[in-house]
Amino acid sequence: MHSIISRNLNLKKQTSLLCFNTIVILSSLLLLLSSPLAKAKPEDSLERHALDLPPLANQNPDITQPSKAPLELQRREFTIGRNQSLSHALSGIDKAPQLTYQISRLENAQHFTRLNIGDTLVLWTDQDNQLHKIDLQKTKTLSHHLTIEDDQMTISTHTRPIEKRISQVSATIDNSIYLAGRGVGLSSNLIMNLTDIFSWEVDYSRELRAGNELKVIYERHYLDNEYIGDGKIIAAELVVGNRQRQVRAIRFEQNGELIGYFDEKGDNLRKAFMRNPINYTRISSRFQTGRYHPVLQEIRDHKGVDYAAPTGTPIYAAGDGTIKFRGWGNGYGNYIIIQHAGRYETVYGHMSRFGKFRQGQTVKQGEVIGYVGMTGLATGPHLHYEFRIDGVHHDPLTVKFPSAEPIPKQHRQAFLDYAALMQSQLERSQPNTTKLAMKFE
């Protein structure tokens, strides 16, 4: 009985304490709600405090993170000599044979496996003599680079952009086209290209006279504002002979590819036949009737042109065709007959030896068919050259050759408009002056 009463008293105490705590909490809430702070907006009543937490050991801003030390690479050069290759350049580097093989298996490996005499490789190795990269400056504008990173090899090519400026020069020819061109700043290569362009229309040995004029519109190439060479010939004019015959050449391209050089009417300067199938020293005998033969010592017709030249000078096919005959002729010595398009034949005599083409094979204009000699009836090394139409001999120096293909019809009007612009530009220039021309659009 006593224990029951004690438990009841404890329960009443706990209940009273709970009620008291509840009353206190409710009173506090009522006071809070009735205060000015309770009516304020939440963002006005809150204070934001930035807590400065202690940084982690590896995030201490005062502690500088250790960086990986850059590799110190050693530079060495190797210039490719006769009978040398990439393997010679890599000789002495760690694992050179494996490197040579791995490089040969890469895409664009030919940039480093097909090297020319004089190519200089710059090789970079570390302190352990391991290869890291190779640089090859092929030209002023083109370079190839091999890099090794994380055991991965790659080959890249870098091309530096060239600035192309259009230039125009005019000159009076006193001694030769070469000297006249050099006198106004043309490069040797450009002058050679120029003479090739006009060679179909001009016989330099017979037609050039002192006082003849030359005009050229062409590209000059610059790299970092420094002149590095001449580019393509855009248009040119040559006035030759005592009668001042004018020959013009205008470049025609299609999809960025050279089709040829044409006159202002759209006719191809290139002919179906070369007038001179040899780079000759001089003409020793011309086409004529009633010539005294120096070997036979009798009067007989000379039905061709003799070009005197040193033994071994290359002889070119005058036009596209098929070798009809290759062999020996009593007067001709070693000689070749080429059949062209049915009606035409060209004959080449007194060869010291033949080229690679055999009887029955086709040849292209300008391909080497033999070499100058003095076989047969000859008193000195020369080429005897004949030109026949339907079996009849004609003078190769004066016969009118058929032209190559003209401007295609679909491009003819566009070319004629462009040619008119080039003509007007050529007519503005005067001899003995050099000047920059405006860029043509």
Side-chain angles (χ1 to χ4, degrees), residues 296-308:
L296 298 177
Q297 297 184 354
E298 63 182 29
I299 303 297
R300 60 189 302 177
D301 294 343
H302 189 247
K303 298 180 179 180
V305 175
D306 290 347
Y307 297 98

Side-chain angles (χ1 to χ4, degrees), residues 87-106:
S87 60
H88 294 88
L90 296 176
S91 178
I93 294 178
D94 188 40
K95 300 179 180 177
Q98 296 92 318
L99 287 171
T100 304
Y101 175 76
Q102 289 174 333
I103 293 172
S104 69
R105 304 293 292 176
L106 294 175

Side-chain angles (χ1 to χ4, degrees), residues 197-198 200-201 248-249 261-263 267-271:
I197 291 169
F198 284 119
W200 306 98
E201 283 289 334
R248 283 178 174 159
Y261 284 87
F262 300 78
D263 65 17
D267 292 330
N268 203 326
L269 260 66
R270 177 179 177 270
K271 304 302 179 185

Side-chain angles (χ1 to χ4, degrees), residues 2-60:
H2 179 74
S3 62
I4 293 173
I5 293 171
S6 298
R7 284 197 300 272
N8 289 336
L9 290 173
N10 290 332
L11 182 59
K12 287 179 180 181
K13 289 179 180 179
Q14 293 176 2
T15 302
S16 298
L17 182 60
L18 178 60
C19 290
F20 177 77
N21 290 336
T22 301
I23 291 170
V24 172
I25 293 171
L26 290 174
S27 299
S28 300
L29 288 172
L30 288 172
L31 288 172
L32 181 62
L33 292 172
S34 62
S35 67
L37 291 173
K39 298 177 182 179
K41 293 180 181 180
E43 56 269 22
D44 294 335
S45 63
L46 298 177
E47 295 184 12
R48 294 175 172 83
H49 298 278
L51 299 179
D52 294 329
L53 297 177
L56 297 176
N58 60 350
Q59 292 181 338
N60 191 333

Side-chain angles (χ1 to χ4, degrees), residues 66-98:
S67 59
K68 188 177 180 180
L71 284 173
E72 293 185 3
L73 299 180
Q74 298 176 345
R75 183 183 189 275
R76 67 179 77 175
E77 288 188 2
F78 186 91
T79 300
I80 300 296
R82 182 178 293 276
N83 298 324
Q84 289 185 326
S85 63
L86 177 65
S87 60
H88 294 88
L90 296 176
S91 178
I93 294 178
D94 188 40
K95 300 179 180 177
Q98 296 92 318

